[in-house]
Amino acid sequence: MDHPTRASPSSASSTGVVDVLVPVALDRAYSYRVPRELNLKPGDVVCVPLGPREVVGVVWAENPSPDPRLHNRLKDVGEKLDVPPLKPELRALVDWVANYTLSARGMVLRMCLRMGEDLGPERVRVGVRLAGPPPQRMTPARRRLIELLSDGLLHGKADAAREAGISVGVVDGLVDEGTLAVEAMPRPLAPPAPDPDFAVTEFSRQQRVAVDAMRALAANGTFHVALLDGVTGSGKTEVYFEAIAEAIRRGKQSLILMPEIALTGQFLDRFARRFGVRPLEWHSELTPRTRQRNWAAIAGGEAPVVVGARSALFMPYADLGLIVVDEEHDQAYKQDEGAHYHARDMAVVRAHIAKIPIVLASATPSVETEVNARKSRYQRILLPSRFGGQHMPHIEAIDLRREAPPRGRFISPTLAEQIRFAIERREQALLFLNRRGYAPLTLCRACGHRFACTICDAWLVDHRFRQRLVCHHCGFSMPRPHICPHCSAEESLVAVGPGVERLQEEAASLFPEARTMVLSSDLITSIETMRSELNEIAEGRVDIIIGTQLVAKGHHFPRLNLVGVVDADLGLSNGDPRAAERTWQLLNQVIGRAGRDQGRGVGYLQTHQPEHPVMKALVACDRDAFYASEIEMRERSGYPPFGRLASLIVSAGDRPTAEGFARKLAAIAPIDERIKVLGPAEAPLAVVKGRYRFRLLVKALRNVDVSEYLREWLAAGPQTKGNLKLEIDVDPQSFL
């Protein structure tokens, strides 16, 4: 039987027993015997038996003194896979992330092994070519295939069948008769490496100062954190490309993390214009074959530059020399399933372990990053003005208390008039509302019944394009009824409040000649569709864009000069300690889409709170005032980065079980004058997917090791069983 054991320190030579970490929800390594024919070292990727199945794991350490009583019960390592070993730097990162986030080490390792998919050499593709006499029996299908292969070239088996409009069985039949020969397809050639000198960018004097700093950072090759702090449209991307060019010249790999890899078509084109080829991509939308090929290229050092979502941080780079975290403030860098980690923070950790430089880029840095820059822990590299002399957008607040839209409408008269002017000038307008669907609530005007999710503590959102009511938390949906299920009134249901679909309906009514498009994550069917829609906008084939936060993600729309924020207060009323910061960042980013190419951009904020510090800072374009007030509030209240937080969510299939466990857990929390344990209290979303949720919040001074405190607390606490679940989130970003 395989035996769980803590990994011991590693050494260089092989022994009879090794400890193997497997990518499952376990924190321990398992001991295995090493067959005589295998020479294993820490980092080697192996196949091992685990219970009734074979799994891929990694040799984590040698075990020079295994328990002699277990000698005859240890299983043998199955095989060593022909892939590069995981370097000590990556194994140290796995240990660090697991220890800090209280995640099972196996779950963190899983991200390094392509989420547990098969590793090893790429499967050989089979092709066919014409090689023998015609078959004795000729059919129309066979004739089409033979005509296709008459060029004598090797064609992929499946490709040939598809082009000829036949089944693969027809191909196999001609192989059996000797008409066709089967051969292995040659491996596709690796794409050419990016050329650091392919295209020389013309920089302004201000940009050249930043470029020199970027090149020096990459050339230095030691751990150093730089904040590339530039306003929207200042050319941050082109500037950090010069750091990547320097890393390429030094023969080092570079990683560019992006919050929304599905939306980076424009970025990939910009990269190709600078370096001659596109970088290698890493994200969840890749096909299994592409993922396998890209993983091997990264591990083999054949991918000089990788652009990826947060999971790309855990790839086994052969010689990583630079990390760039684009839009470092973005909430999408937080992983809230499996191992709870923040990719920006863990990227800094990886850079520290690997002793390499890291660049954090943003027009609206997170408060944590801003404080680190102010305290000189991070080097600040400034780009204070837009490239090409373009002005920053002018921002005005529209006070909805004085200028409300007409009843049943959501676009104020002033905003509607400005959109009309923009269309007449053949410019584009963007209406921003961070709310998907048609309306956030549907109710019966006869009896007041509100449509709620049957398994979540949330209202159903009307999605008129799909004719369904949808829960945005669990995915439950139902057809939009015509009769109230509570009072049986017919055609009595009304939509309350706006979503982007309803906004498009209003825009089409106000501007019937305008071409409109909705950009919302629930309407995306594929990356290709999304990139095609973004290209339509960039080429000027859309007059009015109606979008959620997707439109704030660094896109470049040359004709866009007007942005109208329909509900600027939306993010300020949810009780989240980061609500002001997120609202300021999001609105800054979305208004920053305007006036990037020609003309002067203008942003309009429809708000009921024009006196709110966020609105005042936006209108005055006074970021220093916003950061000063937000940092002062955080310091006074002890919130990050001046204190530490951890969230514990207890959930169960019924309320008494969840609440009882949470209260038992709170009762045995270790006493520490530097730490407060708040709760338990119902989570703001008290029921999700039929599970009742209670939350405890740990609030500590900045110098406290919260992870160790939690580890000691949970070790002494009650154990979860049955349908009870306890989720730990160190440094939470969401408070729902």
Side-chain angles (χ1 to χ4, degrees), residues 236-256:
K236 290 185 296 296
T237 303
E238 283 73 16
V239 167
Y240 72 62
F241 277 172
E242 296 310 306
I244 291 166
E246 187 62 33
I248 294 171
R249 292 185 189 102
R250 288 165 49 83
K252 299 285 187 178
Q253 290 174 298
S254 298
L255 164 64
I256 306 171

Side-chain angles (χ1 to χ4, degrees), residues 189-472:
L189 295 174
D195 179 0
D197 302 309
F198 179 79
V200 178
T201 306
E202 289 292 325
F203 291 109
S204 67
R205 182 184 58 79
Q206 216 170 50
Q207 286 178 318
R208 282 198 299 272
V209 174
V211 165
D212 290 343
M214 284 285 109
R215 289 172 178 160
L217 181 88
N220 192 19
T222 58
F223 173 66
H224 185 76
V225 186
L227 166 62
L228 182 56
D229 183 358
V231 298
T232 54
S234 60
K236 290 185 296 296
T237 303
E238 283 73 16
V239 167
Y240 72 62
F241 277 172
E242 296 310 306
I244 291 166
E246 187 62 33
I248 294 171
R249 292 185 189 102
R250 288 165 49 83
K252 299 285 187 178
Q253 290 174 298
S254 298
L255 164 64
I256 306 171
L257 287 179
M258 308 201 83
E260 297 282 353
I261 195 65
L263 310 177
T264 55
Q266 289 182 345
F267 174 86
L268 297 174
D269 291 339
R270 286 165 80 177
F271 187 95
R273 285 196 295 271
R274 171 62 182 85
F275 295 101
V277 296
R278 285 189 164 203
L280 183 141
E281 292 183 68
W282 183 268
H283 52 82
S284 59
E285 297 291 325
L286 299 176
T287 64
R289 178 179 290 170
T290 303
R291 286 170 73 83
Q292 183 183 38
R293 189 177 295 146
N294 289 3
W295 192 95
I298 291 169
E302 298 167 5
V305 183
V306 177
V307 175
R310 55 182 180 247
S311 61
L313 180 64
F314 294 91
M315 289 296 97
Y317 299 92
D319 193 7
L320 188 59
L322 175 69
I323 300 175
V324 176
V325 183
D326 204 352
E327 309 288 359
E328 65 84 26
H329 64 277
D330 200 290
Q331 196 178 352
Y333 282 124
K334 178 69 178 188
Q335 166 89 15
D336 286 323
E337 295 176 358
H340 292 238
Y341 69 92
H342 197 298
R344 176 201 61 216
D345 298 343
M346 297 307 107
V348 174
V349 170
R350 179 156 197 179
H352 183 265
I353 292 171
K355 298 180 176 58
I356 61 173
I358 177 170
V359 176
L360 309 179
S362 178
T364 54
S366 64
V367 171
E368 288 86 345
T369 298
E370 176 67 20
V371 169
N372 278 325
R374 290 187 178 201
K375 292 181 179 292
S376 299
R377 297 190 191 108
Y378 296 172
Q379 175 190 4
R380 190 193 301 270
I381 300 171
L382 269 173
L383 290 170
S385 58
R386 284 188 156 180
F387 181 65
Q390 287 299 109
H391 294 287
M392 293 299 294
H394 170 72
I395 302 175
E396 292 184 22
I398 298 175
D399 188 343
L400 293 177
R401 298 170 302 184
R402 295 194 180 95
E403 190 188 339
R407 185 176 178 80
R409 300 281 190 171
F410 304 95
I411 300 172
S412 65
T414 296
L415 181 54
E417 184 180 36
Q418 295 301 323
I419 293 171
R420 188 170 288 108
F421 290 157
I423 294 171
E424 289 171 359
R425 293 192 300 267
R426 298 189 175 276
E427 295 175 350
Q428 289 172 320
L430 165 63
L431 287 172
F432 174 76
L433 177 64
N434 202 21
R435 189 183 269 152
R436 293 175 286 155
Y438 184 85
L441 175 64
T442 299
L443 58 77
C444 172
R445 63 180 156 219
C447 70
H449 173 72
R450 298 182 174 200
F451 283 81
C453 180
T454 58
I455 52 176
C456 289
D457 184 19
W459 305 121
L460 293 179
V461 177
D462 185 354
H463 282 251
R464 199 64 60 90
F465 290 176
R466 293 156 56 187
Q467 293 294 309
R468 299 190 74 81
L469 301 179
V470 180
C471 175
H472 284 175

